[in-house]
Amino acid sequence: QVQLVESGGGLVQAGGSLRLSCAASGRTFSSYTMGWFRQAPGKEREFVAVCSWRGGYTDYADSVKGRFTISRDNVKNTVYLQMNSLKPEDTAVYICAAVEWGGSSWRGDYWGQGTQVTVSS
C-alpha cells in the first residue's frame, strides 16, 4: 500500500516555473515506478512524466519534453516534477501516481488527490 500527497501547485504567469512534490508513505515506495498525470477541466486525464524506481529511466509526454523534469529521492520517499517555461495550456490538476506499464500505456496503481496548477497568460 502506498499513500501519496502532492504539494507545490499554485498560480504562476506564463514563462514561470513551479516545482511539485509528491510525498509517499508505505514501505514499498522505492520499488515503484512513479508518474505524474494531469487533468484539465472538461478533459481526460493525461500522462505527463514517469520515473523508474532508481531514477535511471524517465519519459515524458511530447507536450512537456524539454520543459518538465521528473526526479525522485527514495530516502525522502518523494517524487518531484520541475516545471519550467509554463504555458497557459499546462493549467490542470496534477496528480502523482505509482504506476505499472499496462502494455500500451502507464496504469496507476495508487493515486494522490492532486494539486492545482494555474498558468496565467
Side-chain angles (χ1 to χ4, degrees):
Q1 191 81 5
V2 177
Q3 292 81 43
L4 304 170
V5 179
E6 302 93 335
S7 61
L11 174 64
V12 64
Q13 289 189 331
S17 298
L18 280 175
R19 188 195 197 201
L20 306 183
S21 298
C22 173
S25 60
R27 292 180 294 174
T28 60
F29 168 79
S30 61
S31 67
Y32 273 97
T33 295
M34 297 298 297
W36 286 95
F37 295 74
R38 66 187 182 186
Q39 187 165 19
K43 295 187 177 181
E44 292 188 354
R45 185 168 53 200
E46 64 175 356
F47 166 78
V48 174
V50 67
C51 179
S52 64
W53 70 280
R54 283 185 174 177
Y57 168 81
T58 58
D59 195 18
Y60 299 89
D62 288 343
S63 59
V64 307
K65 279 181 181 177
R67 300 188 297 122
F68 290 11
T69 302
I70 187 171
S71 61
R72 66 190 294 165
D73 184 333
N74 288 338
V75 174
K76 295 182 178 179
N77 278 7
T78 302
V79 61
Y80 305 97
L81 186 68
Q82 177 67 44
M83 306 186 296
N84 299 329
S85 301
L86 282 161
K87 305 175 181 180
E89 51 263 44
D90 294 319
T91 295
V93 175
Y94 282 72
I95 309 160
C96 173
V99 300
E100 288 186 300
W101 180 246
S104 59
S105 63
W106 292 102
R107 183 188 69 235
D109 286 344
Y110 301 101
W111 296 90
Q113 83 289 348
T115 185
Q116 176 70 47
V117 172
T118 303
V119 184
S120 63
S121 56

